[in-house]
Amino acid sequence: MGTGQAGAALGLHGGCGTLDRSLMSEAEWAESRSHIAQALRAGWAVLTAGGAALDAVQATVLVLEDSPHFNAGHGAALTEAGTHELDASIMDGSTLAAGAVAGVTRVRNPVLAARAVLESGKAVLLIGPAADEFARASGLAMVKPDYFTTQRRIDALASLRQRALDGSTARASEAEKHGTVGAVARDRHGHLAASTSTGGFNNKPVGRVGDSPIIGAGTYARDGVCAVSCTGQGEVFIRTAAAHDVMARMLYGRESLEQASRTLVFETLQSHGIGAGMIVLGAEGDPLAPFNTLGMYRGWIGTDGRMFVATHQEVHAMGAVS
Amino acid sequence: MGTGQAGAALGLHGGCGTLDRSLMSEAEWAESRSHIAQALRAGWAVLTAGGAALDAVQATVLVLEDSPHFNAGHGAALTEAGTHELDASIMDGSTLAAGAVAGVTRVRNPVLAARAVLESGKAVLLIGPAADEFARASGLAMVKPDYFTTQRRIDALASLRQRALDGSTARASEAEKHGTVGAVARDRHGHLAASTSTGGFNNKPVGRVGDSPIIGAGTYARDGVCAVSCTGQGEVFIRTAAAHDVMARMLYGRESLEQASRTLVFETLQSHGIGAGMIVLGAEGDPLAPFNTLGMYRGWIGTDGRMFVATHQEVHAMGAVS
């Protein structure tokens, strides 16, 4: 621990909700947990090689975007028009440098587009076709929109449309409605970073942007304080500037990481009647994953190098990875 | 004053920068000041009729959008492609309800589109053509993009392109580069609201979105604490979640409005080497307009009903308006 060369840590979430066990087979649940572990290992490999927290969160989110089990990249939710519009952001807690894209449809990995925006230094947020064109000009892999589509999201959209017709939308599971992925990391130099990526929610209005690409709402990182990535109904996270609020409660209000993040999830956000969760990491690399729903895909590797993966209340210890 | 039926107050900014006096004739300076006064009167009429702060900031920003002297609506900056992409947001401090649009090109008044998004309750942020279509479907006036264009912005873009060629971009005045309008209000019921609208900066990349439509960055309002609208290089306001940071310093750090807003402008934002300004209003309606540039278009009507209008250091007392 401490702020020296040790103290690397990493955490991720893959979205919160009811995570209805009946929606997926046991084999699918096992595969989603294995992808969480794989995403953690990808970020951890960066950190143990002495790499930057910024690179670690990018590597972690990349694996989650490529997995069909999470609502980001391949496997993203569909809009009401049956299309995909993807959002992502990434932030370096050591400089407050940040990059984000919203409403992209062609770049394979939105997190890489967000990183390219950060590196350009010319903008923090690019939207729509111009963001895709920027990604292409930056040399990133581009795909046809159907690359993002999975049968599960097609079924979910059909189910939501049916529910809209018969008036039972309120009973749609959170898993049908939304989801997001995100990561937070602390590197051996004590720097923090955070990243979030999403396809939004199923059946979302075309052009709607949630909190994931909004620095301060879905994502925030500041060295010496905390790194935060959020999941849940994005509008409320924007209105409460949720990720920045966790940071501000700690920095200005002297709240602990646990106090600040739990207050956001169980008071501020819950008071708006929404399901909410976040993965947070303190200055020394202590991970927390508060959520007020039945489940949240999540995992972390603490400064002791031990990995944990979880979807519902029980937490699976995966042993030491370093 | 107090939190009772009295205590209405209103403030606005029309962008900060060097505001080079040689760029406009004395008649134009006088007209810009007169439009500031007109915008204040429009918002004040709402407040003195017992109307909501939310309606007052909307009425104020509307006048500034319609004026050719400010970089929002008619008179907006041009992108590097010679097009207009407009952003706006509005927030109700009593409910934290908010609405915003980014990258719109056809709705005549982006602030009205932001308000329509807020009222819909279905999203906080809509982007691109879908946001214009939402505005049209909401019954708002639509225009051809050249409605927004003024000769002054065409000249500024030509000048900036020339400077890019001869390498003197750094010497371009802030007034050539950017600008924004915004308003904050407190109504007689003690509710606060804030709104911001912009054309971005001249020669901006297509698809680039700054802080103006980002709740927490360019705009924030929370009853009992403050209302904030920002102007300056938007990327830094996003990275520091500037508007929410003013609120958080007051709420969690017990800083005064003056302390919090001046710390943001003269320390946090200035440390990033940018020109920055904001109009802020405290819970009791006390207006402040800190800026670190040579000038900022600004005006306010305090709880005593006296109006002030200013562009550079000197402040013009306009007498009582109520």
Side-chain angles (χ1 to χ4, degrees), chain A residues 85 87 91 95-98 102-103 121-128 130-131 201 205-210 214-217 220 222 233 235-236 238-242 244-245 247-249 251-255 264 272, chain B residues 85 87 91 95-98 102-103 121-128 130-131 201 205-210 214-217 220 222 233 235-236 238-242 244-245 247-249 251-255 264 272:
Chain A
E85 295 184 347
D87 309 323
M91 183 167 192
T95 58
L96 303 186
K122 291 185 181 172
V124 165
L125 174 57
L126 289 180
I127 65 171
F201 59 87
V206 172
R208 175 267 185 187
V209 173
I214 306 299
I215 298 300
Y220 210 77
R222 178 165 162 160
Q233 203 221 307
E235 278 69 17
V236 180
I238 295 177
R239 292 162 56 194
T240 57
H244 184 263
D245 203 60
M247 195 288 294
R249 284 174 173 274
L251 185 62
Y252 306 133
R254 302 288 164 196
E255 294 185 19
L264 258 291
H272 288 268
Chain B
E85 295 183 347
D87 309 323
M91 183 167 193
T95 59
L96 304 186
K122 290 185 180 170
V124 166
L125 174 58
L126 289 180
I127 64 171
F201 59 86
V206 172
R208 175 267 185 188
V209 173
I214 306 299
I215 299 299
Y220 210 77
R222 178 164 163 159
Q233 202 221 307
E235 279 68 18
V236 179
I238 295 176
R239 292 162 56 195
T240 58
H244 184 263
D245 204 59
M247 195 289 293
R249 284 174 174 273
L251 185 61
Y252 306 132
R254 303 286 164 199
E255 294 184 19
L264 258 290
H272 288 267

Side-chain angles (χ1 to χ4, degrees), chain B residues 1 66 88 92 100 136 150 160 180 189 233 254 279 314 321:
Chain B
M1 298 251 215
D66 287 347
D92 182 343
R136 193 200 58 73
T150 55
L160 281 167
T180 299
H189 312 286
Q233 202 221 307
R254 303 286 164 199
I279 182 81
E314 74 279 18
V321 288

Side-chain angles (χ1 to χ4, degrees), chain A residues 21-199:
Chain A
R21 286 187 185 278
S22 68
L23 284 178
M24 298 200 299
S25 67
E26 265 314 307
E28 286 174 308
W29 281 108
E31 190 174 82
S32 69
R33 286 195 299 270
S34 122
H35 288 184
I36 289 173
Q38 189 186 328
L40 287 170
R41 283 193 199 95
W44 193 247
V46 171
L47 296 174
T48 53
L54 190 67
D55 293 321
V57 295
Q58 175 182 312
T60 301
V61 168
L62 193 74
V63 172
L64 297 171
E65 285 184 346
D66 287 348
S67 166
H69 293 296
F70 307 102
N71 176 9
H74 178 56
L78 291 154
T79 70
E80 61 188 1
T83 56
H84 295 284
E85 295 184 347
L86 309 173
D87 309 323
S89 65
I90 189 166
M91 183 167 192
D92 182 344
S94 67
T95 58
L96 303 186
V101 292
V104 293
T105 64
R106 298 193 300 118
V107 61
R108 178 188 161 109
N109 288 104
V111 67
L112 298 183
R115 177 65 184 271
V117 173
L118 182 156
E119 294 298 333
S120 79
K122 291 185 181 172
V124 165
L125 174 57
L126 289 180
I127 65 171
D132 274 312
E133 176 51 28
F134 175 82
R136 193 200 58 74
S138 301
L140 298 181
M142 307 302 283
V143 292
K144 291 190 177 149
D146 65 2
Y147 159 79
F148 300 114
T149 310
T150 56
Q151 190 59 44
R152 185 168 148 216
R153 300 296 176 195
I154 292 172
D155 295 345
L157 181 61
S159 161
L160 281 168
R161 283 175 170 166
Q162 185 55 44
R163 286 178 189 276
L165 287 177
D166 66 20
S168 67
T169 306
R171 291 203 304 276
S173 78
E174 294 291 317
E176 275 176 271
K177 283 194 285 187
H178 52 75
T180 298
V181 309
V184 289
R186 179 192 195 275
D187 63 32
R188 290 179 174 177
H189 312 286
H191 299 314
L192 300 177
S195 177
T196 310
S197 180
T198 191

